[in-house]
Amino acid sequence: WFNWAQDARQREDAQTRAQAQLEAEEERTQEEALQQYNNEMRSLLLEEELLDSQEGDAVRELARARTLGVLDILDSDRKRIVVLFLRETSLISSYADTIVDLSGANLRDANLREARLVNTSLGVQGFLTPHDERTDLSGADLSGAILLGANLKGAILKGANLSGAWVGTTDPKAPWHPENADLEGADLSDANLSGAELVALDLTETDLSGADLSGANLSEATVNEEQLDTVFSLEVATMPDGSTHD
């Protein structure tokens, strides 16, 4: 019996070491991919004048390809680093000219908690069609994020956490005074929107089935009864007419 127990412990120790080695290799691979992406993008910015490029330029296509490629393999925290890098370098502005188009990007489970994503484009550019590639933000953590003016058109946010997120406002004194987020065609099914500021948003083309809207502020939002009938909870939510839901 003693020998059997000793063999079992040895096998367990070997499996633990093997798992630790695999995790270390994965960590190294992730870090190398992120560093390579960082170097490539800085080269495009400094040497290829990416910021001064025009729609259709090869440098933009290269930047998009590099970005979508690396996002497809990075973990949730490193996806955050990429998105904030693009935001800080004005490459994903939701103003007239978005330099790096993130439509179709893999941002599943991305850690964007409390990220300042004002006027940031994460969705489809231009008119939304059934053939557009849609950014996958399913399971992403956007809790407490500032999304005023963000383009989330057509984005897949199924099961995402947007609790406490600031998505819409009518306050003219709000910082940056941007427009409200664009959620046309967004999939918010099963998303956590508890306590989110959804003021004055147009939600008519948004899938809210199974979404948790408890405590959310929907004042002046455009949403129909059929949509609200499909949500998981509206407990103490502020409704479009200003009333508080039971």
Side-chain angles (χ1 to χ4, degrees), residues 202-246:
D202 184 354
L203 299 170
T204 53
E205 300 297 326
T206 304
D207 184 355
L208 296 172
S209 57
D212 182 359
L213 289 163
S214 57
N217 186 357
L218 289 158
S219 60
E220 299 184 45
T222 304
V223 60
N224 59 53
E225 289 298 326
E226 289 77 9
Q227 289 175 289
L228 294 179
D229 286 342
T230 69
V231 307
F232 173 73
S233 174
L234 283 166
E235 185 177 359
V236 301
T238 301
M239 303 304 287
D241 62 1
S243 64
T244 301
H245 196 277
D246 296 333

Side-chain angles (χ1 to χ4, degrees), residues 54-211:
Q54 303 298 315
E55 183 177 356
D57 284 354
V59 65
R60 288 196 181 190
E61 296 303 318
L62 182 57
R64 170 175 159 80
R66 293 285 188 267
T67 302
L68 267 57
V70 78
L71 287 174
D72 206 35
I73 62 174
L74 292 182
D75 60 21
S76 59
D77 290 333
R78 290 182 174 89
K79 286 179 180 179
R80 177 190 182 92
I81 292 172
V82 170
V83 170
L84 294 185
F85 165 76
L86 294 169
R87 168 75 177 84
E88 290 164 6
T89 50
S90 302
L91 292 173
I92 52 172
S93 169
S94 63
Y95 290 128
D97 190 25
T98 301
I99 296 173
V100 176
D101 179 4
L102 287 184
S103 57
N106 175 4
L107 288 169
R108 288 193 300 272
D109 301 318
N111 173 17
L112 296 170
R113 186 172 185 268
E114 298 182 352
R116 181 179 178 273
L117 297 171
V118 178
N119 295 327
T120 296
S121 182
L122 300 173
V124 172
Q125 307 297 310
F127 293 106
L128 184 64
T129 74
H131 308 292
D132 285 317
E133 293 181 281
R134 303 194 175 206
T135 306
D136 189 354
L137 282 151
S138 55
D141 185 357
L142 287 151
S143 57
I146 304 176
L147 294 163
L148 297 175
N151 169 25
L152 291 164
K153 193 181 300 183
I156 301 169
L157 289 147
K158 182 178 177 64
N161 181 4
L162 289 94
S163 58
W166 194 5
V167 193
T169 184
T170 56
D171 183 0
K173 297 181 180 179
W176 323 288
H177 191 47
E179 296 181 358
N180 289 338
D182 187 346
L183 290 165
E184 179 189 351
D187 180 359
L188 284 162
S189 59
D190 301 321
N192 179 3
L193 291 156
S194 59
E197 289 290 328
L198 307 174
V199 177
L201 287 179
D202 184 354
L203 299 170
T204 53
E205 300 297 326
T206 304
D207 184 355
L208 296 172
S209 57

Side-chain angles (χ1 to χ4, degrees), residues 8-65:
R9 282 196 299 272
Q10 289 175 344
R11 287 194 297 271
E12 184 177 347
D13 289 344
Q15 289 173 351
T16 300
R17 288 194 298 272
Q19 181 62 34
Q21 184 177 357
L22 286 173
E23 291 175 357
E25 290 175 356
E26 175 62 20
E27 180 73 12
R28 184 167 56 253
T29 299
Q30 292 263 324
E31 195 58 33
E32 288 176 352
L34 181 59
Q35 187 59 54
Q36 181 179 354
Y37 171 75
N38 182 62
N39 293 339
E40 290 172 341
M41 291 299 291
R42 291 192 182 280
S43 175
L44 294 180
L45 284 164
L46 298 175
E47 299 173 18
E48 303 297 332
E49 300 181 343
L50 178 58
L51 282 174
D52 295 324
S53 65
Q54 303 298 315
E55 183 177 356
D57 284 354
V59 65
R60 288 196 181 190
E61 296 303 318
L62 182 57
R64 170 175 159 80

